[in-house]
Amino acid sequence: MSDLLERLRDRGWRLTAQRRVVAQVLDGDHVHYTADEIHARAVELLPEISRATVYNTLGELVSLGEVLEVSTDGRAKRYDPNARHAHQHLICEGCGTIRDVHPAGDPLGSLPAAERYGFTISGVEVTYRGLCPDCAKA
Amino acid sequence: MSDLLERLRDRGWRLTAQRRVVAQVLDGDHVHYTADEIHARAVELLPEISRATVYNTLGELVSLGEVLEVSTDGRAKRYDPNARHAHQHLICEGCGTIRDVHPAGDPLGSLPAAERYGFTISGVEVTYRGLCPDCAKA
DNA sequence: GTCATTGCAAATGCTTTGCAGTGCC
DNA sequence: GGCACTGCAAAGCATTTGCAATGAC
């Protein structure tokens, strides 16, 4: 994670307490938080941090390519700190939990040229939906 | 499209002018509109239709499985009238246009049991991102 | 005639923004 | 010490909701 702060400083970031805390929260458990959850956890480490700053910081991390934005359901976006390794998502439709999965094969290859309509393809997102064990029980 | 209205009446829908108009807009050009765009087009056909009714109607169509909700970018959701045929999406990151594509193979099969974490998988979404010819030029 | 459906307007949830003050480099 | 960054509060957008009036069956 200090790798992350390192990279950010190299790109001219001012290293503030707020930014450090956001990075720290993202680096913690490897789950996919909403901006609000990140803010809540950041507040525990730095009580004065504001929601706006969390949003700003997340936005910057996204445009720097350090964090991925995941639009799961049209509600709050979730943030995925694992931007540096290709992976896909498994989402529980009950509780909204997201897990990273790493299927074999290159999903990009599955779109034949004839179906590309002249587009320049830059990436694929694959999202599996279902119910996690807990929600399946309920 | 009258198929659609037919099916809906069979399920106990009251056939109002508003609902007919929403169905008509979805059946028109085969693009993927936002709720607001659908409302705008609906107003041309029926000036008194309210935004709330469009939202309600869309929500019902979605839960009936007649229309698909597509969360592309965390902004407005888009609605895909083509829910009855499995397909995937190709999204232009420039202008937000969505095209349907139909790659070969079953993407569901690509997630090995070992990666399912006990989830009951109900579906996969595959989204290709890139630039359409027009946006690539600009 | 009944009751689902509509329209309005206000409320909500998430996110962004304007601006004065703060503190990193 | 300059200027990027922060915090606050207010604005913004997409969507939902409460409730009385309406109209499909």
Side-chain angles (χ1 to χ4, degrees):
Chain A
M1 199 269 303
S2 41
D3 296 352
L4 170 56
L5 293 176
E6 198 69 28
R7 282 198 300 277
L8 295 174
R9 189 163 38 196
D10 288 351
R11 302 208 215 177
W13 256 39
R14 288 204 183 165
L15 222 356
T16 67
Q18 291 81 342
R19 288 172 169 184
R20 213 184 318 262
V21 162
V22 170
Q24 196 175 337
V25 169
L26 285 172
D27 188 57
D29 317 291
H30 223 230
V31 291
H32 302 74
Y33 293 128
T34 61
D36 218 54
E37 287 165 347
I38 293 171
H39 176 247
R41 280 170 178 76
V43 163
E44 289 172 15
L45 302 169
L46 184 72
E48 333 81 77
I49 193 171
S50 77
R51 213 175 303 265
T53 297
V54 171
Y55 275 105
N56 288 338
T57 306
L58 287 172
E60 285 156 17
L61 288 170
V62 168
S63 45
L64 289 173
E66 296 289 349
V67 162
L68 242 40
E69 234 174 36
V70 191
S71 298
T72 57
D73 62 342
R75 307 287 285 177
K77 292 177 213 155
R78 289 174 178 273
Y79 293 86
D80 185 342
N82 196 12
R84 307 183 81 70
H85 299 83
H87 64 280
Q88 304 170 358
H89 291 125
L90 176 53
I91 301 185
C92 175
E93 296 187 303
C95 57
T97 303
I98 307 182
R99 296 203 71 124
D100 287 355
V101 291
H102 308 82
D106 174 19
L108 243 183
S110 64
L111 187 65
E115 285 267 36
R116 298 195 180 193
Y117 299 99
F119 276 54
T120 311
I121 311 277
S122 59
V124 213
E125 263 164 45
V126 180
T127 307
Y128 298 88
R129 293 181 184 276
L131 289 176
C132 71
D134 285 350
C135 289
K137 256 182 287 180
Chain B
M1 198 266 304
S2 42
D3 296 354
L4 171 55
L5 294 176
E6 196 70 26
R7 282 197 300 277
L8 296 175
R9 191 165 37 197
D10 288 352
R11 301 207 216 179
W13 255 40
R14 290 205 182 164
L15 221 355
T16 66
Q18 291 82 340
R19 286 171 169 185
R20 212 185 317 263
V21 162
V22 170
Q24 196 175 336
V25 168
L26 286 172
D27 187 57
D29 316 291
H30 222 231
V31 292
H32 304 72
Y33 293 127
T34 62
D36 219 55
E37 288 165 345
I38 293 171
H39 176 246
R41 280 168 179 76
V43 163
E44 289 172 15
L45 301 170
L46 185 72
E48 332 82 77
I49 193 172
S50 78
R51 213 175 305 265
T53 297
V54 171
Y55 276 106
N56 287 341
T57 305
L58 288 172
E60 285 157 16
L61 288 171
V62 168
S63 45
L64 290 174
E66 295 289 349
V67 161
L68 242 42
E69 234 173 38
V70 190
S71 298
T72 57
D73 62 342
R75 303 293 281 180
K77 293 178 212 153
R78 290 174 178 272
Y79 292 87
D80 185 341
N82 196 13
R84 307 183 81 68
H85 299 83
H87 63 279
Q88 304 171 358
H89 290 124
L90 175 54
I91 301 186
C92 174
E93 296 187 302
C95 57
T97 303
I98 308 183
R99 297 203 68 124
D100 287 356
V101 291
H102 309 81
D106 174 19
L108 242 183
S110 65
L111 188 65
E115 286 267 34
R116 297 194 181 194
Y117 299 100
F119 276 54
T120 311
I121 311 277
S122 58
V124 212
E125 263 165 45
V126 181
T127 306
Y128 298 89
R129 291 181 186 277
L131 290 174
C132 70
D134 285 351
C135 289
K137 258 183 284 178

